[in-house]
Amino acid sequence: MYQILVADAINAEGLQPLLEYKDAVIIEKKVTDPEVELEKIDALLVRSATKVTEELFEKMPQLKIVARAGVGVDNIDVNAATKRGVIVVNAPDGNTISTAEHTFAMMAALMRNIPQAHQSVKNLEWKRNEFVGNELYGKTLGILGMGRIGTELAKRSKAFGMNVQVFDPFLTNERASKLGVQNSSLDEVLEHADIITVHTPLTAETKGLINEKALSKTKKGVYFLNCARGGIIDEDALATFIGNGHVAGAALDVFEVEPPGEYPLFKFDNVIVTPHLGASTREAQLNVATQVAKEVRMFFEDKPVSNSINLPAMSKDIFERIRPFHYLAKQIGSTLSQCINEGIQEISITFSGSVTDLETTYLTKALLSGFFKNRIDIYVNEVNALLTAKERGITVGEKISTNSFGYANCISVTAKSETRQFTIRGTFIDHYGPRIVYLNDFNIDFYPEGNLLYIQHMDRPGVIGRVGKILGDHSINIATMQVGRKQVGGEAIMILSFDKPIDDIAVNKLNELDDIVSMNHILL
Ligand SMILES: NC(=O)C1=CN([C@@H]2O[C@H](COP(=O)(O)OP(=O)(O)OC[C@H]3O[C@@H](n4cnc5c(N)ncnc54)[C@H](O)[C@@H]3O)[C@@H](O)[C@H]2O)C=CC1
Ligand SMILES: O=C(O)CCC(=O)C(=O)O
């Protein structure tokens, strides 16, 4: 039974896909609640209040997936998650419209002094001259960050007759002209805009994007909006420029620290604020909750997640095509690691035939996760496989080849240690399944699953019989047996499979046999 912790206020109706999931129990409590057994939690659902830090991951060794019911993942240490193989998903577009509408509402409120006028009337005043505002019509709106929210805001602002000038390093001129906005540099936006709004994520690059230097390039009388993340506009610098009258006003939905407590910007009447309400509509909350609940359920049902921050996105169709090779790659990796007993320095993977049409990097990661499964303690999956290899000094190479060794598809892997190299190849045969077809210079053919024994021996009369007898004497039933050799009387290999694990006494007896060179017990 999966334990799913819903740590922030997430729309209950949206959680329905998880509430209906019979393999999950939902716990709605804060991560700080002493009743929560953090060490047993498999999935964590949050909004922005819960900070998902390295220390929290440390307390949650079972955690497999963190879902952010919203866009910004700046409250989640994604690097720490990746390192631990924890998948991070978000709900990228469920709250776009709500946040764009909120930004627009803030802009209109700011330009027409609505909050101040509202308060004044409620204080039994009637100061019509004090609250004279400005039209939006004909003004230049500068948008920094033309992603989903920036784009929706631009559309609404154009409908109000505004000129829209934008800066986004990833925006092409073609897209800008389709949207009817002017694609500009940051400085051009700063110099020309009457109102500037930020819609970038908070990253090391965007922190302080609007600082003292940027503010000093703006027009006197400019207005600022921040409905993205506190810190993109430097709050101290903004306070200085509002205080000296250069900036005419600001509307803020987000703060560097939330809740902001005693806050220098609150003393200005021309600063209007909301408590991080951009996404707070019934519609957005239902959308984001449903999106993440579905994603978490898909993950536990072993289906592709579509909005992962640290995994490649894959459609259902592509996932179905890649699924058999994904399994094959994992089993190859696991077989490989259990066939070699020394430290590996290099793993080279070659894909050939029909598998090359698929996302081979994903298969490389799956293969590595299989490789590490039996070698190290930490949970390795496609998220942290490459990082884990790097941290352990293993060079990983991937290439495509036209030589598929006569198979319709082939994954060939060579692992190198200081002293030797070991090659293993596998293929997926339609209606037949995954097969290992080459092991350490021997052609062979076995199904990579279950309890296996890989025996290297000399090709001499009676060896196979003696192996069979010892196993029989220990009541161990051989399910399948494959042999491979290069020349008569030379080195040979055997792969035996069993219905249940074989005991150490039998293995030791087998090891004592003449003509047995080495033996590896493989559990797949
Ligand atoms: N106030 C609220 O309740 C909400 C706030 N947000 C915030 O809004 C942000 C944007 O959301 P979306 O539009 O959905 O994200 P998005 O990913 O669609 O758009 C972000 C855009 O910023 C651009 N960008 C990145 N670095 C930049 C830079 N240095 N200068 C200029 N542009 C840059 C990117 O190219 C991208 O086009 C989120 O990261 C989140 O922090 C999102 C939803 C609700
Ligand atoms: O959960 C919320 O309401 C905040 C939304 C937000 O900031 C985001 O989606 O990035």
Side-chain angles (χ1 to χ4, degrees):
M1 192 64 82
Y2 297 116
Q3 300 218 13
I4 300 177
L5 181 65
V6 178
D8 291 334
I10 295 181
N11 180 288
E13 196 185 333
L15 291 177
Q16 211 52 33
L18 284 176
L19 293 167
E20 286 165 3
Y21 184 36
K22 63 175 179 16
D23 291 337
V25 359
I26 314 284
I27 304 157
E28 293 191 53
K29 284 192 171 20
K30 296 218 164 302
V31 289
T32 47
D33 189 320
E35 277 179 26
V36 177
E37 294 180 283
L38 288 173
E39 67 283 2
K40 293 189 181 159
I41 302 296
D42 298 285
L44 175 65
L45 270 65
V46 298
R47 277 172 67 185
S48 52
T50 300
K51 306 293 171 229
V52 189
T53 59
E54 173 96 59
E55 294 77 57
L56 185 60
F57 284 121
E58 198 71 50
K59 294 178 190 156
M60 304 181 83
Q62 287 294 329
L63 191 65
K64 296 165 186 72
I65 184 165
V66 178
R68 160 70 164 107
V71 186
V73 288
D74 44 289
N75 56 323
I76 300 170
D77 187 338
V78 178
N79 283 338
T82 303
K83 223 167 153 185
R84 286 163 188 272
V86 176
I87 294 174
V88 180
V89 294
N90 70 348
D93 48 19
N95 61 26
T96 302
I97 299 293
S98 290
T99 311
E101 285 183 357
H102 189 75
T103 312
F104 196 90
M106 290 289 266
M107 177 164 69
L110 182 67
M111 299 302 276
R112 300 304 295 269
N113 305 304
I114 291 171
Q116 301 89 332
H118 163 90
Q119 199 50 53
S120 165
V121 175
K122 287 205 159 180
N123 291 345
L124 308 180
E125 297 166 349
W126 196 254
K127 296 179 169 173
R128 296 185 64 219
N129 291 337
E130 207 168 285
F131 298 118
V132 174
N134 297 287
E135 284 185 350
L136 294 175
Y137 180 81
K139 300 291 183 306
T140 296
L141 172 66
I143 301 182
L144 307 180
M146 268 296 274
R148 289 172 291 256
I149 296 168
T151 300
E152 289 304 323
L153 179 67
K155 288 184 199 162
R156 283 152 182 77
S157 307
K158 282 187 62 63
F160 269 64
M162 300 183 82
N163 307 311
V164 180
Q165 203 171 350
V166 306
F167 167 64
D168 187 319
F170 302 106
L171 183 71
T172 60
N173 284 332
E174 193 191 344
R175 185 162 158 72
S177 81
K178 240 189 200 156
L179 293 167
V181 299
Q182 201 180 329
N183 201 4
S184 314
S185 67
L186 175 60
D187 279 357
E188 282 166 341
V189 174
L190 295 173
E191 281 159 28
H192 297 123
D194 301 301
I195 305 166
I196 297 175
T197 181
V198 293
H199 295 285
T200 68
L202 176 67
T203 61
E205 194 194 333
T206 61
K207 192 168 166 47
L209 181 68
I210 302 299
N211 54 15
E212 247 186 80
K213 194 168 161 212
L215 284 161
S216 63
K217 293 178 183 169
T218 57
K219 277 189 194 176
K220 183 166 167 42
V222 67
Y223 289 85
F224 272 93
L225 301 163
N226 187 356
C227 292
R229 276 296 176 276
I232 299 172
I233 302 179
D234 183 306
E235 289 171 353
D236 292 337
L238 183 63
T240 306
F241 278 73
I242 291 181
N244 68 21
H246 183 88
V247 171
L252 309 172
D253 182 46
V254 287
F255 306 88
E256 280 177 32
V257 176
E258 292 182 3
E262 281 296 316
Y263 188 63
L265 281 158
F266 287 167
K267 70 171 189 259
F268 300 111
D269 287 342
N270 51 351
V271 172
I272 65 170
V273 290
T274 47
H276 203 147
L277 289 184
S280 292
T281 61
R282 281 165 196 90
E283 295 83 353
Q285 286 313 307
L286 178 61
N287 286 343
V288 294
T290 311
Q291 270 182 8
V292 292
K294 280 188 180 163
E295 288 278 270
V296 171
R297 183 162 170 175
M298 299 276 270
F299 171 74
F300 284 126
E301 287 178 339
D302 213 14
K303 293 180 184 153
V305 292
S306 15
N307 295 314
S308 173
I309 305 293
N310 51 5
L311 263 185
M314 219 176 272
S315 71
K316 217 171 167 185
D317 187 38
I318 295 193
F319 185 77
E320 284 312 318
R321 285 181 58 213
I322 208 164
R323 194 202 285 270
F325 296 103
H326 180 259
Y327 181 70
L328 171 68
K330 268 205 162 147
Q331 300 305 81
I332 291 177
S334 185
T335 309
L336 172 68
S337 75
Q338 295 179 75
C339 283
I340 41 185
N341 306 319
E342 62 259 47
I344 292 300
Q345 296 175 325
E346 195 181 314
I347 296 179
S348 315
I349 305 161
T350 306
F351 296 95
S352 52
S354 58
V355 65
T356 59
D357 296 340
L358 300 167
E359 173 127 28
T360 52
T361 313
Y362 184 64
L363 298 176
T364 293
K365 292 174 185 169
L367 192 142
L368 291 174
S369 75
F371 178 81
F372 286 118
K373 195 173 83 181
N374 301 300
R375 288 204 158 214
I376 58 177
D377 280 347
I378 65 165
Y379 170 61
V380 182
N381 62 3
E382 292 72 12
V383 174
N384 59 347
L386 282 174
L387 196 68
T388 307
K390 196 171 166 208
E391 280 175 356
R392 280 161 177 76
I394 302 173
T395 311
V396 178
E398 179 193 312
K399 63 177 191 228
I400 302 288
S401 162
T402 49
N403 180 8
S404 57
F405 305 96
Y407 298 99
N409 56 73
C410 183
I411 303 178
S412 178
V413 188
T414 298
K416 286 189 187 151
S417 71
E418 250 177 10
T419 52
R420 66 170 184 138
Q421 67 176 46
F422 188 102
T423 298
I424 176 168
R425 288 185 197 130
T427 186
F428 185 85
I429 303 171
D430 283 343
H431 312 297
Y432 200 45
R435 311 295 299 182
I436 301 289
V437 291
Y438 188 88
L439 201 65
N440 200 16
D441 293 344
F442 294 91
N443 290 311
I444 189 112
D445 181 3
F446 66 95
Y447 184 56
E449 205 172 83
N451 279 292
L452 305 175
L453 204 55
Y454 161 51
I455 301 178
Q456 286 186 276
H457 62 100
M458 300 310 294
D459 179 37
R460 305 244 160 84
V463 177
I464 293 174
R466 288 199 295 276
V467 167
K469 178 159 186 337
I470 290 178
L471 292 169
D473 289 348
H474 285 81
S475 308
I476 296 167
N477 185 41
I478 301 174
T480 64
M481 178 176 197
Q482 309 289 328
V483 286
R485 65 177 185 187
K486 279 182 272 187
Q487 71 211 41
V488 178
E491 283 177 25
I493 63 168
M494 258 185 251
I495 299 283
L496 306 164
S497 78
F498 309 98
D499 300 320
K500 53 180 189 179
I502 53 169
D503 59 62
D504 288 347
I505 306 170
V507 173
N508 292 341
K509 281 252 167 74
L510 288 172
N511 249 328
E512 285 164 11
L513 283 179
D514 283 346
D515 298 322
I516 300 286
V517 179
S518 70
M519 193 161 20
N520 293 67
H521 189 191
I522 301 171
L523 195 61
L524 294 172

